[in-house]
Amino acid sequence: MKKIALVAAAVFLAASLTGCNKKPAAAAGKHEKVTIKFPTAGASGALYAVGAAITNLWDTEIDFVSASSQASNGGIDNLNQIADGESQVSIAISSNCYQSFNGTDSFKGFANKKLRVIAGLYFNPNQVVATKKSGINSIADVKGKHFAVAAAGSSVEGECKNHFTAVGMKYPEDIRAEYISFGDAADMLQNGTIDGAWIMSGAPAAAVSQALSSGCQLVNITDDVIASLQKTYPWYAKFTIPAGTYPNQDADVQTTAIKMVMFCSADLDDETVYQLTKTLWENIDKLGEAQKNLKGLKAEEAVKDIAGLKIHDGAARYYKEAGILK
């Protein structure tokens, strides 16, 4: 039902942006039809709704584009799909994009030098959730606990490894790891059958809301842990989840965050990427009204904090026209 509701919301958004079902004819007859498959993440996460809203916008506004989003196993899966040509556009955290382009970490031996950025979007915060009875009040307290780390090999599991290693833990040996989706983790937290879970998603995230409605709490990540991470992984930023973001959250919570990057392959033609980029930014205010993660985004920030990755020529054309790039 959640998935159906998210899709319905995205469809409603697309209709409100256009006012009708007819696509503009600016490029009619000048470009062959392009199909855009856009993998996102699990259907219960904020990224799924973001992808649905963006693809419905493109599908409605660009006459030669047929775009649709779909659930996936998250960033690493998304990057592999783009590299393999199974999908055309997706979103992942900048760290995973950097690793994919350079063939490091999970992508060792499989560098995708065709990876190109369309836009840097919003910061994606790490959200560590724990039951109050677990005794988890810091990252180090997770040692020995029954803890959900998302899908095996996912970007979220990579976040767990980085953070737990930063506090001196051995991963995964020092925890009882549960490899499950955000939605399943929220159910298990609610039932008290796990001690905690790592959720990386735009805030508010449905899984975190569910958990905190059931008496769970968010765990702070302290300055010293963040400083330790930044020595090795310069893409990390300090991030605050404001009080009141979630049910029963009475205080600000400090955590880490990495910028989300929309990307594609260099093989996707310049005109298509130009239109995708232009349409996104010309409608960003209305997108932000429907999706909190897109609210307040500025095109000027889209070329910053993207781990030094290459921008697609079609996207660069838009940013140059807008005076953002020279």
Side-chain angles (χ1 to χ4, degrees), residues 159-176:
E159 290 301 299
C160 293
K161 180 180 179 180
N162 290 350
H163 285 73
F164 293 152
T165 301
V167 297
M169 290 169 56
K170 293 181 180 179
Y171 180 84
E173 293 89 344
D174 281 348
I175 66 170
R176 290 186 290 146

Side-chain angles (χ1 to χ4, degrees), residues 14 26 29 41 45 54 66 75 89 96 144 148 159 166 176 182 227 256 290 307:
I54 292 172
S66 175
V89 177
N96 284 161
E159 290 301 299
R176 290 186 290 146
F182 294 163
T256 55

Side-chain angles (χ1 to χ4, degrees), residues 99 105 161-162 165 228-237:
Q99 292 161 356
D105 297 84
K161 180 180 179 180
N162 290 350
T165 301
S228 177
L229 285 163
Q230 289 173 333
K231 289 179 182 178
T232 307
Y233 311 105
W235 48 70
Y236 282 114

Side-chain angles (χ1 to χ4, degrees), residues 127-139 141-142 145-148 185-186 188-190 192 194-199 207-208 210-220 253:
Q127 300 176 67
V128 185
V129 189
T131 63
K132 291 182 179 178
K133 68 178 182 180
S134 69
I136 299 174
N137 296 300
S138 70
I139 300 298
D141 292 337
V142 176
K145 304 296 185 180
H146 189 189
F147 194 88
M188 294 183 74
L189 285 165
Q190 189 172 26
I194 57 173
D195 296 309
W198 199 285
I199 295 173
V208 179
Q210 179 183 340
L212 266 66
S213 294
S214 306
C216 293
Q217 62 185 7
L218 283 168
V219 178
N220 271 286
V253 174

Side-chain angles (χ1 to χ4, degrees), residues 1-317:
M1 292 297 294
K2 290 180 180 178
K3 182 174 180 180
I4 293 172
L6 289 168
V7 172
V11 171
F12 176 81
L13 171 62
S16 69
L17 289 170
T18 59
C20 62
N21 294 322
K22 184 179 179 181
K23 295 186 180 183
K30 296 181 180 180
H31 200 293
E32 63 182 16
K33 194 77 170 179
V34 175
T35 298
I36 300 292
K37 294 181 180 179
F38 192 124
T40 56
S44 63
L47 187 57
Y48 182 88
V50 168
I54 292 172
T55 53
N56 273 281
L57 170 68
W58 288 341
D59 189 72
T60 306
E61 286 288 297
I62 307 172
D63 66 330
F64 62 85
V65 167
S66 175
S68 62
S69 62
Q70 56 236 235
S72 76
N73 288 326
I76 291 176
D77 182 25
N78 297 345
L79 284 154
N80 286 332
Q81 288 194 44
I82 299 298
D84 294 341
E86 296 175 13
S87 299
Q88 290 69 45
V89 177
S90 192
I91 298 180
I93 52 179
S94 61
S95 55
N96 284 161
C97 293
Y98 178 91
Q99 292 161 356
S100 176
F101 183 83
N102 290 287
T104 64
D105 297 84
S106 299
F107 304 93
K108 189 173 182 178
F110 297 94
N112 179 16
K113 293 300 183 181
K114 291 185 177 181
L115 181 70
R116 296 291 185 271
V117 172
I118 295 175
L121 299 176
Y122 55 91
F123 281 104
N124 202 31
N126 285 299
Q127 300 176 67
V128 185
V129 189
T131 63
K132 291 182 179 178
K133 68 178 182 180
S134 69
I136 299 174
N137 296 300
S138 70
I139 300 298
D141 292 337
V142 176
K143 186 174 182 177
K145 304 296 185 180
H146 189 189
F147 194 88
V149 297
S154 67
S155 56
V156 180
E157 190 199 5
E159 290 301 299
C160 293
K161 180 180 179 180
N162 290 350
H163 285 73
F164 293 152
T165 301
V167 297
M169 290 169 56
K170 293 181 180 179
Y171 180 84
E173 293 89 344
D174 281 348
I175 66 170
R176 290 186 290 146
E178 192 76 45
Y179 301 95
I180 54 176
S181 69
F182 294 163
D184 289 341
D187 290 341
M188 294 183 74
L189 285 165
Q190 189 172 26
N191 297 332
T193 50
I194 57 173
D195 296 309
W198 199 285
I199 295 173
M200 191 181 200
S201 176
V208 179
S209 292
Q210 179 183 340
L212 266 66
S213 294
S214 306
C216 293
Q217 62 185 7
L218 283 168
V219 178
N220 271 286
I221 299 179
T222 56
D223 288 343
D224 59 325
V225 175
I226 296 173
S228 177
L229 285 163
Q230 289 173 333
K231 289 179 182 178
T232 307
Y233 311 105
W235 48 70
Y236 282 114
K238 187 184 296 186
F239 188 90
T240 298
I241 301 173
T245 299
Y246 291 109
N248 306 313
Q249 183 203 349
D250 299 326
D252 292 351
V253 174
Q254 179 174 283
T255 186
T256 55
I258 305 175
K259 201 166 201 179
M260 296 299 297
V261 172
M262 183 187 297
F263 60 91
C264 62
S265 171
D267 291 336
L268 193 58
D269 73 274
D270 290 0
E271 180 61 24
T272 296
V273 177
Y274 171 77
Q275 293 293 341
L276 297 179
T277 309
K278 184 174 187 288
T279 302
L280 171 73
W281 291 114
E282 287 184 348
N283 292 278
I284 196 64
D285 289 342
K286 290 183 179 179
L287 283 171
E289 291 173 6
Q291 294 298 328
K292 290 183 178 180
N293 292 301
L294 301 177
K295 188 176 181 63
L297 294 188
K298 302 296 182 184
E300 292 81 3
E301 301 298 316
V303 297
K304 301 176 182 178
D305 299 311
I306 56 174
L309 295 164
K310 295 181 178 180
I311 298 173
H312 192 286
D313 287 345
R317 174 183 157 198

